[in-house]
Amino acid sequence: MKHKTDDLEAFTKTQRLAYQCVLEIKREIQPGWTEKQTARLMDVYLQDHGVRTFFHRSFAWFGDRSRFQGFKNYFDFMPSNRRLEPTDVIILDTAPIVEGYPGDVGYAYSVEPHEGLQLAKRRLLDFRKKIPSLFSSERSLAEIWQEIDRELQALGYDNIHSMYPFSVLGHQMHRIPLSKLPGLTIPFSLHSYWMFLSRGLFKELLGPKTRGDKAGLWAIEPHIGGAGFGAKFEEILVVRKKTSGEGYEAFWMDDEVPHLKEAAPA
């Protein structure tokens, strides 16, 4: 699948708006805020910037909830009344749709310096650097998932994305023609269900047993767990079949992402 330049520009526009949202909340958030309050303000920010529907509503996880500690069912993932402590790690995750183009981002940070988080974010950037080459290789989608799993566990982290529904490391993204419909299902909208089910659920999700074509736009979200916290990023990877010969080429859609810019030399 080859996406047109104007399509990629539209996806990039949505992704940048989503990151703009999480960075604005980062500037505003204060100890004592709840996850529910934080997620609601993210949604309000996006609505104030013209978003009328969502691929999924915003999530916020604080402290040990950022590594899904004690999560046992679907409802545990929902923003809770947990209040932010100054030493907590925070993960924000949101997915607006702009003019039919969805974006899905995740961002981890802390109010106070957190040594464990800073190391985890450096490790995540190592994965970010490696992931395009994994998609360009002869590895299947399942083998990519398994390779990331082996490496993060070898580094001493827990695989938190294995706790997501269907253990997804990522999922495909497409323009959604139903974007004018209201997002009635909370937290995931009708648009997300339509996208996955109309195209074949297990072809759209990158899990430990996924088989199929690697080409497409993938929202990749490695989520790792340290001692009492979790860390992740999420952004779109573009994967195309080579124009000459066999195989694939893969690259991140946008390098203007906060987790990469934070690591750049001053």
Side-chain angles (χ1 to χ4, degrees):
M1 180 182 297
K2 187 171 183 178
H3 290 271
K4 296 181 294 184
T5 300
D6 54 351
D7 280 341
L8 291 182
E9 289 175 351
F11 277 107
T12 300
K13 176 183 176 181
T14 308
Q15 180 169 282
R16 288 185 176 181
L17 175 61
Y19 270 125
Q20 182 180 319
C21 171
V22 299
L23 292 177
E24 181 63 25
I25 296 301
K26 175 184 178 180
R27 286 188 284 268
E28 297 293 332
I29 197 168
Q30 298 290 330
W33 284 26
T34 67
E35 292 178 349
K36 286 182 179 179
Q37 176 186 4
T38 304
R40 183 170 60 253
L41 289 175
M42 291 167 69
D43 287 345
V44 169
Y45 178 92
L46 291 166
Q47 289 165 343
D48 286 347
H49 285 75
V51 173
R52 293 294 172 262
T53 191
F54 295 79
F55 183 70
H56 68 67
R57 292 287 182 174
S58 299
F59 293 98
W61 301 299
F62 300 161
D64 59 2
R65 282 180 51 82
S66 67
R67 57 162 290 129
F68 298 165
Q69 189 72 36
F71 285 22
K72 296 179 180 179
N73 58 55
Y74 178 81
F75 297 101
D76 289 332
F77 291 90
M78 302 302 102
S80 73
N81 289 318
R82 164 70 183 269
R83 293 190 179 275
L84 179 65
E85 299 290 339
T87 56
D88 282 345
V89 168
I90 303 158
I91 290 180
L92 303 179
D93 190 316
T94 194
I97 300 173
V98 178
E99 298 176 351
Y101 292 91
D104 198 350
V105 307
Y107 180 64
Y109 67 99
S110 57
V111 175
E112 295 184 353
H114 192 292
E115 185 176 348
L117 173 62
Q118 293 309 309
L119 177 58
K121 292 183 75 168
R122 290 197 294 272
R123 295 291 181 250
L124 284 169
L125 287 179
D126 290 339
F127 285 121
R128 185 185 189 274
K129 184 176 181 180
K130 182 172 184 176
I131 284 170
S133 64
L134 293 177
F135 274 84
S136 299
S137 74
E138 295 182 355
R139 289 177 176 84
S140 69
L141 291 167
E143 289 169 339
I144 292 170
W145 191 101
Q146 292 158 7
E147 176 71 12
I148 296 296
D149 179 63
R150 284 192 295 270
E151 290 198 19
L152 69 85
Q153 292 197 55
L155 291 168
Y157 293 103
D158 294 325
N159 182 338
I160 305 303
H161 54 262
S162 68
M163 299 174 64
Y164 285 34
F166 306 105
S167 299
V168 295
L169 172 62
H171 56 83
Q172 290 240 30
M173 300 288 275
H174 307 276
R175 188 174 189 277
I176 299 174
L178 303 178
S179 61
K180 292 185 178 180
L181 291 178
L184 299 176
T185 307
I186 301 298
F188 287 92
S189 69
L190 294 175
H191 318 95
S192 57
Y193 290 114
W194 171 85
M195 192 180 78
F196 290 142
L197 295 176
S198 67
R199 296 172 181 271
L201 178 64
F202 293 104
K203 294 180 180 179
E204 297 291 299
L205 305 178
L206 175 51
K209 297 182 180 180
T210 306
R211 296 285 187 267
D213 191 355
K214 291 186 285 187
L217 300 185
W218 292 90
I220 302 293
E221 50 183 328
H223 191 160
I224 63 179
F229 74 95
K232 70 175 286 188
F233 70 81
E234 184 172 11
E235 56 175 307
I236 290 178
L237 182 75
V238 181
V239 185
R240 295 172 171 167
K241 290 185 177 179
K242 291 182 178 179
T243 54
S244 59
E246 297 182 354
Y248 299 86
E249 59 180 3
F251 56 91
W252 294 106
M253 183 178 70
D254 187 16
D255 283 335
E256 295 296 313
V257 291
H259 45 285
L260 187 60
K261 294 171 73 174
E262 288 168 358

